[in-house]
Amino acid sequence: MARELEELSDVELRGVAEDLGFDVGRKESRSDVISRIRARRLAIDEVSREEFARILRWAGEEVKDFHAKDLLVRRFYRVNFRKTEGLSPEDLRIVARLHAVDFDEDTPTEEIAERIETSAKRWTDVLKRAGGRVVGYIAKKVAGADDDEIAPPEEEEKAVGASLRKGFKAALRFSMDDYIAEKLDEIEARIDRKLDDLDRKMDEWRTREVRHRLRIIKYTIIATVVVAVISILYKLVAR
Amino acid sequence: MPTGLAGRHPVDFDLFYFWRRLLVVVVGIYCCITTADRMAGYWRLLHGEERHWGYARKYLVIQLLRVGLRDVGWELTQIAFWLAVLATLIWAHRFVS
C-alpha cells in the first residue's frame, strides 16, 4: 500500500487525501501527506463496513447491500457532522477517530460530540468562505454593476475562479467516482450471482455423477450375486 | 495331483468353473485398466503448475468433500445390502460342495 502511495503523482495524492476527508496544504510535503493518508487508512481499517453503513444511514443516506466499503468511506467523509444528535456514543467515537478529533477513553460523550461539531463547523467555514466569494462574484455579474466600483482586486478574482474550478472539479470527480464505484459494485454482485449459480450447478452435476458411479458399482455387485446364485444352483444340480 | 485352469483336475474339466474364473480375470483386468486410464486422464488434466490449475485441484477436493451422505445414502445402503448378500452366497458355497 505504501509503495502504491509513493508511486502516485501529486495530483493523485491530493485526490486520495480529499477522498479521505482532508485538504492538503500548499506547503505540505509529499511524505507528510503520505503519512497522514496512511494514518487515516489505519483508522479506517479498524472500522467495519457495517459501522460505516450505520453512520451513513443515521445521516439519511441510502446504503445498499452491494455497496463496497470504499464507497461508503468516501460518502462518510462527505457527511456534515455539524449536528450529531442521534448518533450513539460508539458511533461518535468512530466519527471522532476518523476525523482525527483529539479525545481519550475518559472523555465524556457530550464533550466528544461538541468537539466533532466544532471541527465540522471549522471545515464548513472554509467552504462557506469559498462559497461566499463565489456567490459575490456571481451576484456582481448578474447585477451588472460598474466594474470599477465594486470589482474585487485581481488576486481575489483569481482566487474565486480557482475556487470555482476546484469546486466543479471536485464535484465532477465525486460524481464520477460514485457512478463508477456503483457500476463496479453492480457488476461484482452480478458476477457473484453467476458464480453462485455455477457452483450450484456443479454441486448438482457432482451429486448426479457420484450417484451414477455408485449405481454402476451396485449393478456390478448384483451381476456378481446373480453369478453366485447360478453357481450355487449349478453345484446343487451337479452334486 | 496337478490342477487345470478351472482349479479342477483336467479330467474333471468343468465349463462353468472355467467360465467363472475367466469372468473374474477378464473383468478384473478391465476394471484395473479403466480405473488407471481414468486416473491418468485426471492427472493429465490437473497436473499443471499454473495457479489456475492449483485452484481447480482445490475446488475439486472441496467438491468431493462436500458430497453429502444424504445425497448418496440410498445407493450406499443398497450396495451394502448386495455386498452382504454376496458374502452370504460365497459363504453358502461350502455347504453345497
Side-chain angles (χ1 to χ4, degrees):
Chain A
M1 189 71 81
R3 269 187 65 197
E4 278 176 22
L5 282 176
E6 278 151 10
E7 284 164 6
L8 293 179
S9 68
D10 286 352
V11 177
E12 287 168 327
L13 211 56
R14 191 178 290 270
V16 173
E18 281 173 13
D19 279 349
L20 296 178
F22 59 85
D23 283 327
V24 179
R26 279 171 186 260
K27 291 179 181 173
E28 207 166 355
S29 68
R30 272 181 67 85
S31 57
D32 286 346
V33 177
I34 289 172
S35 58
R36 281 179 72 189
I37 291 174
R38 271 191 213 143
R40 183 74 38 116
R41 277 181 172 170
L42 278 175
I44 289 167
D45 283 345
E46 286 171 9
V47 180
S48 69
R49 182 195 169 281
E50 284 64 36
E51 286 167 330
F52 276 113
R54 196 173 61 222
I55 295 170
L56 284 171
R57 286 198 185 100
W58 164 85
E61 297 215 9
E62 190 185 7
V63 179
K64 292 182 177 168
D65 288 343
F66 59 78
H67 283 161
K69 186 180 171 185
D70 287 349
L71 175 67
L72 299 187
V73 169
R74 278 203 301 278
R75 285 169 60 185
F76 169 84
Y77 279 112
R78 280 151 52 194
V79 171
N80 194 330
F81 287 100
R82 275 182 302 174
K83 286 186 179 174
T84 54
E85 284 167 19
L87 261 181
S88 66
E90 186 195 348
D91 290 344
L92 274 173
R93 284 170 190 275
I94 290 171
V95 172
R97 263 201 307 276
L98 291 176
H99 278 109
V101 174
D102 189 30
F103 75 101
D104 54 41
E105 291 305 313
D106 301 328
T107 313
T109 309
E110 294 76 21
E111 179 70 25
I112 295 173
E114 201 180 318
R115 285 183 195 178
I116 291 171
E117 287 170 8
T118 313
S119 303
K121 276 172 193 158
R122 203 161 56 233
W123 308 324
T124 48
D125 281 350
V126 175
L127 293 175
K128 264 186 193 168
R129 278 202 296 279
R133 285 206 299 270
V134 173
V135 171
Y137 180 75
I138 292 168
K140 186 199 82 179
K141 289 289 181 191
V142 170
D146 188 2
D147 283 350
D148 294 336
E149 275 180 24
I150 55 167
E154 198 178 334
E155 277 186 19
E156 194 169 342
E157 200 168 336
K158 273 185 189 168
V160 170
S163 298
L164 262 177
R165 275 198 301 278
K166 195 177 170 186
F168 281 130
K169 206 169 75 179
L172 191 64
R173 206 168 62 79
F174 277 138
S175 5
M176 278 173 65
D177 282 354
D178 280 358
Y179 179 76
I180 291 168
E182 197 166 327
K183 285 291 158 199
L184 284 175
D185 285 342
E186 278 176 24
I187 291 168
E188 200 179 325
R190 209 176 300 156
I191 291 171
D192 282 349
R193 274 199 302 276
K194 279 278 172 204
L195 282 175
D196 285 347
D197 198 36
L198 277 177
D199 195 43
R200 192 175 47 75
K201 280 183 182 162
M202 274 293 282
D203 268 4
E204 285 170 9
W205 173 82
R206 177 214 56 210
T207 308
R208 212 168 40 236
E209 193 65 18
V210 171
R211 205 178 287 155
H212 179 64
R213 304 278 161 191
L214 289 176
R215 210 166 284 155
I216 289 173
I217 293 172
K218 184 181 75 181
Y219 291 144
T220 310
I221 296 169
I222 290 173
T224 317
V225 166
V226 170
V227 173
V229 169
I230 294 171
S231 171
I232 279 193
L233 292 174
Y234 179 82
K235 272 192 169 185
L236 282 171
V237 170
R239 193 159 59 167
Chain B
M1 191 173 283
T3 54
L5 182 63
R8 308 279 288 207
H9 190 272
V11 178
D12 299 333
F13 178 74
D14 191 322
L15 192 63
F16 179 79
Y17 283 99
F18 173 72
W19 172 74
R20 199 176 63 178
R21 184 67 59 90
L22 195 66
L23 198 67
V24 168
V25 172
V26 171
V27 172
I29 291 172
Y30 172 78
C31 283
C32 288
I33 291 173
T34 311
T35 310
D37 180 53
R38 187 58 61 92
M39 290 295 148
Y42 281 129
W43 170 254
R44 274 197 299 275
L45 184 69
L46 296 169
H47 84 288
E49 291 293 323
E50 294 89 348
R51 186 183 286 181
H52 57 275
W53 287 120
Y55 285 134
R57 281 193 291 271
K58 282 175 192 158
Y59 185 68
L60 199 66
V61 171
I62 289 168
Q63 281 288 338
L64 288 173
L65 289 173
R66 275 162 60 184
V67 176
L69 263 185
R70 246 185 323 185
D71 298 329
V72 290
W74 176 235
E75 297 293 337
L76 287 175
T77 311
Q78 289 183 72
I79 287 172
F81 168 74
W82 286 112
L83 278 175
V85 172
L86 182 64
T88 311
L89 284 171
I90 291 170
W91 172 74
H93 269 69
R94 69 177 64 178
F95 298 107
V96 290
S97 297

